[in-house]
Amino acid sequence: MKIDKSLSIKLTEVNVVMTILIVWLHIAPIFNLPQWVQQIAIIAVPCFWTISAFLYFASFDFSSPWMSYKSKLFTRTRTILVPFIVFNIFGLLFSLALLQIHPVDYHPLDGVNAGNCLQALYHSKWNGALWYLRALFEFALIAPSIGYIIRATKWSILLVVPIYLLCQYAPYSSFIYWMVNIFTGAYIAIWHEQLIAYYTRYKKLYISTLIIILGGATAAWHSGFCDDYMIRALTAPTVIFLIMNIHIMPSTVALALGPYTMLIYCLHGNIMRITSKIPSIFGVSSEFLAFILAVALTIIAIVILQIFLKKSPKTWKLIMGGR
């Protein structure tokens, strides 16, 4: 399928909002906030998985699968695996530097030796949020097999039921855990034309059904009858509805912030260790205001850093894998 300009802009909008929510998700536990403030951001990761799978298969050429697979694997080695390694190492160096300022911080090399340093890197010991990049690369290794299963029949969508029942027991940082979102995003890309036709014909039914399901799931979630995994699974159709129908933020803002999302994702876990302390230094008493300020400062600091880094194009391409 071809991603037109309108869809590309909407995908950028979702990407920007979800990147902000990732920062929100990781900073929120630092502050004394109501539980709903912390949990509202859990939709971010399933959104990323849905969109990532959609984008992979939207441009996958099944008429020349081996060439397409090699091309995508090469690209993702540069743009995913290289930043994963670079920013994990940065996280280690950053933590070692912080120890000189704040000696009571944990030592990043505790439990690490020559024998398990690669294991520490694999599990993102020094930059926890990067588990997603590692899992995304692992997904890319086996992605075509998922695509062929989906392409075999449009009724393959029914497989989300056993996938939902089985994959929720996988580790959170494994792409297997997110297979409902991956499968849904891939299905939309592969059967896009047929789904657009169905959606156009039954739009009101789809929207009303989605509202009922989401409303019921949200109520059940707050009542304790529905767990986080179900909410994550239901995120996929919600994302699809958003990118097909509405702009969730001004496109000019999304296009301005879009180029910064990758670095924000890669660095926020480290930078927030400093920015989250700034509100208290300046005497901000409101926990919610301090939280919002910490999120904003984290994003602003990384945007400024990227502006300086891009003044050296060779350095930028090296650390970002040519992005």
Side-chain angles (χ1 to χ4, degrees):
M1 63 166 288
K2 184 178 180 181
I3 298 178
D4 58 27
K5 184 177 180 180
S6 175
L7 179 56
S8 177
I9 291 173
K10 289 176 182 176
L11 286 168
T12 301
E13 292 169 8
V14 175
N15 185 36
V16 169
V17 171
M18 296 308 147
T19 300
I20 294 170
L21 284 180
I22 285 290
V23 180
W24 174 303
L25 180 68
H26 293 148
I27 291 181
I30 298 173
F31 298 91
N32 184 23
L33 301 170
Q35 191 69 10
W36 67 267
V37 176
Q38 298 184 29
Q39 291 186 323
I40 195 172
I42 68 168
I43 65 170
V45 180
C47 281
F48 276 135
W49 278 113
T50 305
I51 293 172
S52 294
F54 175 84
L55 290 173
Y56 184 97
F57 287 104
S59 58
F60 191 88
D61 184 4
F62 282 98
S63 65
S64 182
W66 179 238
M67 290 298 294
S68 189
Y69 175 68
K70 286 195 299 181
S71 174
K72 285 184 173 293
L73 195 58
F74 176 73
T75 300
R76 280 155 178 77
T77 299
R78 290 190 300 105
T79 61
I80 295 175
L81 195 58
V82 169
F84 170 77
I85 295 171
V86 168
F87 289 104
N88 263 301
I89 295 172
F90 171 84
L92 170 60
L93 299 176
F94 185 83
S95 295
L96 289 172
L98 277 188
L99 276 178
Q100 309 307 312
I101 304 169
H102 199 242
V104 297
D105 274 5
Y106 81 99
H107 199 291
L109 293 177
D110 281 347
V112 179
N113 54 50
N116 65 11
C117 60
L118 289 180
Q119 184 180 10
L121 177 68
Y122 177 84
H123 291 291
S124 305
K125 177 179 175 65
W126 307 299
N127 195 341
L130 295 187
W131 69 265
Y132 174 73
L133 297 186
R134 183 258 304 155
L136 189 59
F137 184 77
E138 291 173 339
F139 156 67
L141 293 175
I142 59 95
S145 60
I146 297 172
Y148 276 106
I149 291 171
I150 293 172
R151 198 166 179 258
T153 171
K154 63 183 179 181
W155 295 107
S156 59
I157 191 61
L158 296 177
L159 290 174
V160 297
V161 176
I163 288 172
Y164 172 84
L165 294 174
L166 295 174
C167 292
Q168 60 183 296
Y169 300 106
Y172 179 90
S173 60
S174 162
F175 74 89
I176 300 297
Y177 180 89
W178 304 96
M179 191 56 73
V180 170
N181 300 98
I182 291 171
F183 200 90
T184 307
Y187 187 91
I188 295 299
I190 291 170
W191 293 98
H192 185 260
E193 292 183 8
Q194 292 86 342
L195 290 171
I196 287 293
Y198 287 135
Y199 179 78
T200 302
R201 189 182 308 168
Y202 303 111
K203 185 174 182 178
K204 292 182 178 179
L205 178 62
Y206 175 83
I207 294 173
S208 58
T209 302
L210 181 62
I211 290 172
I212 292 170
I213 292 174
L214 288 176
T218 302
W221 183 43
H222 283 292
S223 302
F225 295 108
C226 171
D227 60 11
D228 289 353
Y229 191 81
M230 181 176 289
I231 295 297
R232 293 181 179 116
L234 291 172
T235 299
T238 308
V239 172
I240 294 158
F241 169 74
L242 289 174
I243 64 178
M244 290 178 68
N245 288 277
I246 63 175
H247 292 278
I248 61 174
M249 71 183 303
S251 57
T252 51
V253 176
L255 293 173
L257 289 176
Y260 300 97
T261 54
M262 181 62 170
L263 193 65
I264 290 171
Y265 187 87
C266 288
L267 283 183
H268 76 275
N270 298 126
I271 302 300
M272 71 184 225
R273 293 172 65 184
I274 296 174
T275 54
S276 62
K277 293 178 170 59
I278 293 176
S280 62
I281 293 173
F282 286 93
V284 178
S285 57
S286 167
E287 287 286 305
F288 185 75
L289 183 58
F291 160 66
I292 295 297
L293 184 59
V295 171
L297 287 173
T298 302
I299 293 170
I300 292 169
I302 296 172
V303 168
I304 293 172
L305 178 60
Q306 178 166 323
I307 291 171
F308 279 100
L309 285 173
K310 294 195 79 171
K311 290 183 181 295
S312 175
K314 289 184 179 179
T315 302
W316 177 253
K317 287 183 178 180
L318 177 66
I319 65 174
M320 300 302 290
R323 280 179 179 265

